[in-house]
Amino acid sequence: MIHPRDILLGAQAGAFALPVCDHYSGVEARMKKSLQLQAEMTEEFGTCVFDVTLDCEDGAPVGGEADHAALVTALALGAAPEARVAVRVHPVDHPAFDADVATIAGQAASKLVHLMVPKVESVADVQRAVAAMDAAGATALPLHVLIESPAAVHRAFDIAAHPRVQSLSFGLMDFVSAHGGAIPAAGMSMAGQFSHPLVLRAKLEIASACHAHGKVPSHCVVTEFKDTQALGQAARTVARELGYTRMWSIHPDQIRPVLEAFAPRADEIGEAAAILLAAQRADWAPVQHGGRLHDRASYRFFWQVLVRAHATGRPMPEEVTPFFATMNVLADRP
């Protein structure tokens, strides 16, 4: 039987399948605990449900950038073979950028799933980052970029078009600060970031740019980490209304609410499985299901539902589990 992955190529969006949560930590003890938690939850869910990004930008003390780069390199090299580890380096205009990339990408590229570069303003910054990665020998390492200013939002489509860019993230705090007081402090809050027009516009532009080029839009962190119920509602808004397929966390308590928000519901999984199985039996010709006609355009959508279900460790009907028996959805195109 033809695999859905092979028959449903050509969807503009969804060229990469990544875990729906990207967990950041920069303090040594927390970085180690994050990697341990990742291993524990991988065993629990049967798949790696979040990336761990070791942070140099906010984690390295001033003057201690080289030591911190050596630390995250050692942690990445010592991670389990199945671990998904990334590193956020300093911005391309920071004095430590070249040394960060030379040390981390030069020694640990084979253990990293991507390199995150913050404060990317233009395609020139992307090219600068790629040149540094290539010089370090990390020619196949994907690049994630953080969009944090109005000018960068304006250039988001061009940035997303670069072939080495795999994901764009939105940096809320710097974006609001870049407006010189024109956006009030409430724009950085749980409620304000989902209601202020300029912030919402930026989020939608970034998500649209990513989907236009088959990249992954990653939503910024919500800093009010103690209110997990409110966080869950925010994450559902991000996933259901703003077009994001991934979200940051900065505290272990945020990971499960993000997973729950981005995971398909049981009824959505059941519907997707039924439609795809019917399509497979019909050799991918149009079928009727629930009084509606479906063809390859909708099959792509329902296949992505199953990919997301698998990536978030959701139970699926036994009939569709063979789709994933020999497929690594975090490496293959959905």
Side-chain angles (χ1 to χ4, degrees):
M1 299 294 287
I2 302 175
H3 196 285
R5 169 196 54 196
D6 299 323
I7 199 68
L8 300 178
L9 296 178
Q12 186 177 33
F16 300 99
L18 299 175
V20 299
C21 185
D22 191 8
H23 182 65
Y24 276 71
S25 55
V27 177
E28 182 175 3
R30 293 174 186 169
M31 290 190 286
K32 291 178 177 178
K33 288 181 179 179
S34 298
L35 291 168
Q36 180 181 353
L37 180 61
Q38 184 189 66
E40 293 170 355
M41 291 184 67
T42 296
E43 183 176 357
E44 175 186 349
F45 287 95
T47 189
C48 185
V49 292
F50 68 94
D51 285 345
V52 171
T53 297
L54 310 176
D55 193 8
C56 289
E57 185 189 23
D58 291 338
V62 176
E65 291 87 357
D67 289 340
H68 197 78
L71 170 63
V72 301
T73 300
L75 290 174
L77 289 171
E82 65 275 11
R84 286 185 56 89
V85 187
V87 174
R88 175 166 70 166
V89 295
H90 287 86
V92 296
D93 60 355
H94 191 281
F97 171 76
D98 287 308
D100 275 356
V101 176
T103 298
I104 298 163
Q107 298 180 38
S110 63
K111 295 287 290 188
L112 299 178
V113 292
H114 67 263
L115 199 74
M116 162 61 78
V117 176
K119 296 180 174 56
V120 167
E121 289 290 312
S122 65
V123 174
D125 287 347
V126 173
Q127 293 169 338
R128 170 88 166 80
V130 169
M133 293 161 65
D134 289 351
T139 56
L141 186 61
L143 178 65
H144 290 200
V145 301
L146 188 53
I147 303 298
E148 304 182 67
S149 75
V153 170
H154 176 70
R155 304 180 185 113
F157 281 80
D158 292 336
I159 292 170
H162 194 284
R164 283 287 286 278
V165 171
Q166 190 181 60
S167 175
L168 269 64
S169 293
F170 176 56
L172 172 67
M173 306 302 181
D174 281 281
F175 178 80
V176 171
S177 299
H179 284 75
I183 300 176
M188 296 183 283
S189 68
M190 177 88 76
Q193 67 171 291
F194 293 106
S195 60
H196 194 283
L198 284 175
V199 178
L200 275 177
R201 175 181 174 273
K203 291 183 180 184
L204 293 171
E205 283 289 303
I206 290 169
S208 182
C210 286
H211 292 302
H213 295 287
K215 308 302 173 68
V216 176
S218 186
H219 191 272
C220 60
V221 70
V222 172
T223 56
E224 297 94 333
F225 61 86
K226 291 186 177 181
D227 190 345
T228 54
Q229 184 175 358
L231 170 65
Q233 180 56 53
R236 284 189 291 275
T237 299
V238 166
R240 300 276 173 170
E241 299 179 22
L242 301 186
Y244 283 76
T245 57
R246 182 168 158 101
M247 186 172 180
W248 289 29
S249 73
I250 55 170
H251 190 280
D253 290 346
Q254 294 183 322
I255 295 172
R256 290 181 186 271
V258 170
L259 291 180
E260 290 295 327
F262 279 82
R265 299 189 307 267
D267 62 310
E268 293 173 326
I269 296 170
E271 179 186 40
I275 290 171
L276 287 175
L277 289 169
Q280 190 178 55
R281 290 192 296 269
D283 292 326
W284 305 101
V287 300
Q288 292 187 41
H289 179 82
R292 294 185 177 182
L293 183 66
H294 294 279
D295 58 17
R296 293 190 191 184
S298 58
Y299 297 161
R300 293 187 183 106
F301 170 82
F302 291 111
W303 171 237
Q304 290 165 349
V305 170
L306 292 187
V307 168
R308 195 165 69 254
H310 179 79
T312 51
R314 304 295 107 167
M316 288 189 287
E318 290 185 5
E319 295 87 346
V320 298
T321 55
F323 291 159
F324 302 95
T326 59
M327 175 185 176
N328 179 2
V329 298
L330 300 180
D332 296 331
R333 288 173 177 262

